[in-house]
Amino acid sequence: MDSKQQQLYLANKSSRQRFSEWIFRDVPSDITIEVAGSTFALHKFPIVSRSGRIRKLVSEHRDADISRVELLNSPGGPETFELAAKFCYGINFEITPSNVAQLICVSDYLEMTEDYSHDNLASRAEEYLDSVVTKSLELCVQVLQHCENLLPLADELKIASRCVDAVASKACVEQIASSFSRLEYSSSGRLHMNKQAAGSKCEGDWWIQDLSALRIDLFHRVITAMKCRGVRPESIGASLVSYAQRELTKKSSLWNPNPNPTKVVDPVSTTAHERAVVETIISLLPLEKLAVPISFLFGLLRSAAMLDCSVGCRVDLERRIGSQLDDATLDDLLIPSFRHSGDTLFDVDAVHRILVNFSQQDDSEGDDDDGDGDGMDDDGSGFDQSDSPQHSPSQTALFKVSKLVDNYLAEIAPDANLKLSKFMIVAETLPAHARTVHDALYRAIDIYLKAHQGLSDMDRKRLCKLIDFQKLSQEAGAHAAQNERLPLQAIVQVLYFEQVRLRNALCCSYGGGGDHEPDHVRPMQQSWRASSGAFSAAMSPRDNYASLRRENRELKLELARMRMRLNDLEKDHVCMKRDMHRSGSRKFMNSFSKKLGKLGFFGNGSSRGSTSPSKQSQRTDSRAMDRTCARTCASTD
């Protein structure tokens, strides 16, 4: 007798001992019922009076005087049938969340309904489920756990669906209640959210740990129902993280190769279960950004690669990661390559696809500086709003990701199996304006050249074209000028830009240059070039577009002011012509000079704080005009 048969024998023996305690001893049994190897010596009258199924079996074999009945596939096994038999004998027992699902199923199987007896087992168990279990989220989760071995019958009787709906409803209600508890009145009498309470973990999310005990199919149904009910995305994400930690890190064979040496585990079924868990969690991820930490998304991506999940789920996961890539770290990007042992150490292709998703994302969070206009000037000289770029990440996110990518390139560069094409395609994914300084990119390329000394001159030239040597710092430029691994053309470019930098530094030190413009004009023109609509390599197209719009508005406003001043000047011109006939030339010039001073046509009439080049030149022309008028008056005297 093996261990399995011995356990079954002991279970049957203990069952017979329990049955003898409540079955009538003074009346001999006239029917024996067998359930999953366990036998019950019972009496026909109490069983037949409650169970329609057994009544039909007995009536069909009345002539044969049936004394033995075998019940196949009885829900809940011998333990649940024992409770049903006790109910038939009128013996009281407690209905609990641990047995209510089994009792409903076995009462349906035995047909213990109101059609055969008043206040039968089916109605008793249904009443307990509706009045007690569905009123508590915790009890519903317990019942769902016991429904795992009762499917699909539990679905046909709507036990699982009622519990799933109750869990989602209770979670939503508790979150609303906890939100109201964090509201408070301000000093002005307005109702607002308490910032300290809002920043802490929601008190209504205690159920997250309870849901982690469910099987993956029931967990999927509960989370889907919660989404439909409007549970917060942050709570959904926290529940997914908790479930993944329980199923993929504490139980998974990926992280625990041999947790219990004495227990034999089927690797095929284990891998299939883990694959189902990963694919289900990915399908349940909230659409909102930052609902789950990006490190968790990268962990799912690694698990999906190890378990060979479907291509669709990995593509969806890479798209989600790309939407919040600016929050990632270097450790997140270092995804091991699991498929080919002779290939690269890290999955460079996955990182490239993530970068493409990041570059192509729709930046809907950008600030709109021109919300008061329709995007077109009145005279048609402006820019239409449709010309502005709509599919580019913000400049701050680009800067963060560019640093991250350069550090990633430096980390994977020593890999001897890393092909030049893969290295270059990752470096070229981001736009040119993403990098303001090329020091980190130069460092990564130098590491690659050092690790791959067999590159041809053509490949080294292609690689060094990625670097804008004009954007190297002084220290990086000095290093590049003496770097023998760089091709000769690259070293010449470095030396040229270093010479230009030195000449500009000398010009700034002595305050002069080769231009014939006045010293006070040259800085203004240089600052205007930096702040004008000319596209800068360090600015994104969206930022350049906004800068052009602002300068265009300023020019329009200045043009309107000049028109008003021109009208005033025409009026004064008529008055001055009358004065010419009445007085001499000296009085006329004095009057002309005073009127110009009052008008301030090129001087103080401009907007306060403006630094445009046209206004600066207008002030200069005004001072020159005043000096000319003074000389004219002196010669007249």
Side-chain angles (χ1 to χ4, degrees), residues 506-560:
L506 292 174
C507 292
C508 293
S509 299
Y510 291 102
D515 299 334
H516 298 285
E517 298 171 349
D519 293 342
H520 66 278
V521 176
R522 189 181 302 110
M524 289 185 293
Q525 292 182 352
Q526 291 174 353
S527 64
W528 173 76
R529 293 189 189 101
S531 62
S532 66
F535 280 84
S536 170
M539 297 177 65
S540 66
R542 184 168 64 90
D543 295 337
N544 278 295
Y545 172 74
S547 177
L548 286 172
R549 293 288 303 274
R550 286 193 296 270
E551 186 174 355
N552 200 14
R553 286 203 307 269
E554 292 178 1
L555 292 176
K556 279 187 60 181
L557 186 60
E558 185 64 25
L559 182 61

Side-chain angles (χ1 to χ4, degrees), residues 326 358 393-407 430-437 471 537-540 543:
D326 50 314
F358 168 77
S394 65
Q395 191 67 29
T396 303
L398 272 176
F399 287 160
K400 291 181 179 179
V401 174
S402 65
K403 294 180 180 178
L404 181 64
V405 170
D406 292 343
N407 292 332
L430 297 180
H433 62 270
R435 296 181 177 92
T436 56
V437 180
K471 293 183 180 181
M539 297 177 65
S540 66
D543 295 337

Side-chain angles (χ1 to χ4, degrees), residues 557-558 561 565 603-611 615 619:
L557 186 60
E558 185 64 25
R561 293 194 186 101
R565 293 172 193 146
N604 297 329
S606 61
S607 62
R608 186 175 302 174
S610 176
T611 58
K615 299 172 187 175
R619 297 191 185 100

Side-chain angles (χ1 to χ4, degrees), residues 473-526:
S473 64
Q474 185 174 359
E475 295 78 10
H479 184 277
Q482 301 177 2
N483 193 347
E484 298 179 353
R485 289 182 288 272
L486 299 180
L488 183 59
Q489 293 181 353
I491 296 177
V492 171
Q493 291 184 37
V494 173
L495 293 175
Y496 169 74
F497 288 123
E498 286 299 311
Q499 185 181 7
V500 172
R501 181 182 298 167
L502 180 60
R503 185 180 61 183
N504 292 338
L506 292 174
C507 292
C508 293
S509 299
Y510 291 102
D515 299 334
H516 298 285
E517 298 171 349
D519 293 342
H520 66 278
V521 176
R522 189 181 302 110
M524 289 185 293
Q525 292 182 352
Q526 291 174 353

